[in-house]
Amino acid sequence: MSSNASRGPSHSGFLHEYAPRLVAFEFTPPTGGINKTNSLIFIGGLTDGFSTVPYVSKLANALEDTDWSVFSTLLSSSYAGWGVGSLDRDVEEIGQCVRFVRDLKASRQPGAVTTAGKIAIMGHSTGSQDVLHYLYSPNPLPRKEFGFGIQHLVRPALDGAILQAPASDREGLQAIIDASPEPDELRKVYDQLVRSAKEHPYTSDKNDSILPMNLTAKLSYPADTPLSARRFLSLVSPHSPDDPSDDDLFSSDLSDKRLQETFGMVGTQGIITSKLLVLYSGEDEYCPHWVDKEKLLRRWQQAIEAGGAKWDTNSGIVPEASHNVHAEGQQDLIDRVLRYLKAL
């Protein structure tokens, strides 16, 4: 095979272990400057890891001449780990990363007097669910019956937070089923999986039950990724909109009461000290055609402001942008993020 085959771009930077078995990549300019005070921590969505979202490195390049540096973080749920993960575990690990980055930046400041740097987090796709969960959930999180051995800690405060491509997993799956050549067959598979997940969420020794991968693959989940009954029910949220699961934060049919319990709690928790930036991709292929994006954003804004938090004016729909913002819309997205960070 040619040595040039499928070779991706290289990026200069540092790989940090911010917690045992968890790492974050810090983009640095080719000149090697590392004394930037402020930090933007990027959190990917389902199946994401390093360099899977194309605009992240370009955003880092756009911030080269500013006081902001970009960290791309790996969580336990990155790549194929999302199928047995949870939002609770994600935000615990994000909190660990925030603490690490804050201490790292402080250690780089010369002299005894240090200037506290700003930290913002940016979630893409299901990473947006992580960001909102970080902002609105009780702090620290309550311990659940099966908590993966997590010792819940108080999550650090943030100077900024960004949701990018906050599409609904539940509505996205509905759209996939509806667009299938055999929607009735897929609905039968869906019903079978929901029934199995409800009947056997855990094994007798209290471990996650894994759903049949040949069936989850029929619903367009990666064929090589184990998906637990617990996470599947959280993503598809079969009792929504009346009783939505943890992962069902962005569906268009959620009640105003549900939005008050999520977006509306951001101000009450007080974790973020500035405005929330929300960027919805105008041509998001995971957003069903029946969703009115403008109306949805207005409802989120109303819930945010009713709860005492603030909505950033750079929020909105990024024209022509796909879910991952491959090409069209990238510059618009980056410009909005730069304006937001500059104002913090």
Side-chain angles (χ1 to χ4, degrees):
M1 178 180 291
S2 168
S3 60
N4 292 323
S6 302
R7 177 179 293 174
S10 299
H11 307 290
S12 60
F14 294 93
L15 187 66
H16 303 280
E17 185 180 34
Y18 67 87
R21 299 170 63 89
L22 300 173
V23 295
F25 181 79
E26 177 187 10
F27 290 87
T28 60
T31 54
I34 61 171
N35 290 324
K36 295 181 174 223
T37 307
N38 306 323
S39 308
L40 176 65
I41 299 174
F42 178 81
I43 302 137
L46 301 188
T47 77
D48 281 326
F50 290 150
S51 298
T52 58
V53 181
Y55 65 77
V56 178
S57 60
K58 295 181 180 180
L59 177 58
N61 291 339
L63 289 168
E64 276 188 13
D65 295 328
T66 73
D67 289 331
W68 288 86
S69 58
V70 175
F71 290 76
S72 180
T73 184
L74 288 187
L75 307 175
S76 298
S77 60
S78 297
Y79 296 121
W82 61 270
V84 293
S86 70
L87 297 186
D88 278 3
R89 185 169 66 179
D90 284 355
V91 301
E92 286 288 322
E93 294 176 358
I94 293 167
Q96 289 177 296
C97 190
V98 171
R99 290 187 198 91
F100 173 87
V101 170
R102 180 165 286 141
D103 291 344
L104 174 71
K105 290 300 183 77
S107 71
R108 291 174 175 173
Q109 299 303 310
V113 178
T114 62
T115 301
K118 295 180 174 63
I119 294 184
I121 60 176
M122 178 176 183
H124 161 72
S125 189
T126 306
S128 293
Q129 286 153 229
D130 286 333
V131 172
L132 184 57
H133 198 70
Y134 191 105
L135 298 178
Y136 89 83
S137 296
N139 191 18
L141 291 165
R143 179 174 291 279
K144 296 184 178 180
E145 182 179 0
F146 305 115
F148 303 98
I150 295 172
Q151 180 184 358
H152 294 313
L153 302 174
V154 174
R155 301 188 298 282
L158 301 166
D159 299 282
I162 304 170
L163 312 182
Q164 190 272 314
S168 162
D169 288 284
R170 173 168 64 89
E171 291 183 333
L173 179 58
Q174 290 175 8
I176 289 173
I177 292 174
D178 291 344
S180 167
E182 298 179 322
D184 291 340
E185 289 303 312
L186 284 192
R187 289 190 187 97
K188 289 179 182 178
V189 172
Y190 169 85
D191 290 340
Q192 180 181 348
L193 287 169
V194 169
R195 185 167 55 251
S196 175
K198 288 181 177 180
E199 291 174 353
H200 305 288
Y202 297 99
T203 64
S204 59
D205 53 355
K206 297 184 179 181
N207 290 317
D208 271 327
S209 292
I210 302 300
L211 297 173
M213 295 167 67
N214 64 313
L215 295 182
T216 58
K218 291 183 179 181
L219 297 183
S220 297
Y221 292 113
D224 60 350
T225 301
L227 179 56
S228 72
R230 172 188 48 78
R231 189 66 195 270
F232 174 74
L233 291 175
S234 186
L235 290 168
V236 306
S237 194
H239 298 297
S240 286
D242 296 331
D243 184 20
S245 66
D246 285 351
D247 272 283
D248 195 9
L249 295 174
F250 303 131
S251 295
S252 61
D253 60 356
L254 296 176
S255 67
D256 290 340
K257 180 177 180 293
R258 170 61 171 171
L259 297 186
Q260 291 166 6
E261 295 168 347
T262 56
F263 285 91
M265 288 298 294
V266 171
T268 300
Q269 293 299 342
I271 291 177
I272 185 175
T273 60
S274 67
K275 301 174 182 179
L276 178 68
L277 176 63
V278 180
L279 302 171
Y280 211 118
S281 294
E283 301 298 327
D284 195 321
E285 61 272 28
Y286 295 105
C287 177
H289 64 84
W290 68 79
V291 173
D292 185 335
K293 301 183 185 75
E294 293 280 6
K295 179 181 178 181
L296 189 58
L297 288 178
R298 287 196 299 270
R299 293 185 66 213
W300 294 350
Q301 179 178 358
Q302 289 167 1
I304 280 284
E305 293 176 344
K310 298 177 182 178
W311 182 270
D312 192 80
T313 56
N314 290 293
S315 299
I317 296 171
V318 181
E320 301 184 330
S322 64
H323 188 70
N324 277 15
V325 198
H326 286 284
E328 290 80 5
Q330 270 192 3
Q331 192 57 54
D332 187 356
L333 171 72
I334 290 171
D335 289 344
R336 291 174 190 247
V337 173
L338 263 61
R339 290 195 298 268
Y340 173 75
L341 296 178
K342 183 178 180 180
L344 290 183

